[in-house]
Amino acid sequence: MQVTINGKDEKLFGNPPEVGEQLPKFKLEDAQGNKVKTADIIGRVTLISSVPDIDTPVCSIETRKFNQQADKYPDARFLTISNNTLEQQKDWCAAQGVRNLQLLSDESLSFGYAMKLYMPNFGALARTIFIVDKTGKIVYRQIVPEITDEPDYQDALSALEKLAKRVDD
């Protein structure tokens, strides 16, 4: 599968999983350095956002927007995954005041390879949104065709609302 970066073609490691498929097995790290496996994600409706580099403007905007939405969906978990180091992610969260979602590191690229979202020539993950149900089945997939563009937030949140009740403030 292909995406673009500033209009230049960039190949993904393979073809990412489709709607209806189960999440593959992968391991990530949380802010405390604990392993987070696929099995730890299953059991709760989850919106997974993968970003190329949390320290870039579009990734930062995207993650802050999902952080603002997370508390409106108490039944859902919001995860943002990048292959930044834990230290880079901690510094970013502290600077941005992000507390409603969980930032996970895929520095080992386990998620990137398992989900086929790694861009080997670019050295980062593609910009995507996946929503999985409580059983780990993928019910929504958005692969942003141009990495420098923001995702379609409304489309993703509309899909999430089919599984998780929204509470308005």
Side-chain angles (χ1 to χ4, degrees), residues 47-53 59 62-63 66 79-82 111 115 117 125-130 142 144 151:
L47 183 146
I48 300 170
S49 167
S50 69
V51 298
D53 183 350
C59 297
E62 177 180 338
T63 304
F66 281 129
L79 304 176
T80 295
I81 300 168
S82 75
F111 174 83
M115 294 286 286
L117 299 175
L125 301 176
R127 184 178 313 286
T128 67
I129 300 169
F130 287 86
Q142 181 183 152
V144 181

Side-chain angles (χ1 to χ4, degrees), residues 24-40:
K25 292 186 176 168
F26 52 79
K27 291 180 186 162
L28 301 159
E29 280 188 275
D30 68 13
Q32 292 73 42
N34 298 316
K35 297 285 182 215
V36 177
K37 299 179 288 195
T38 304
D40 300 321

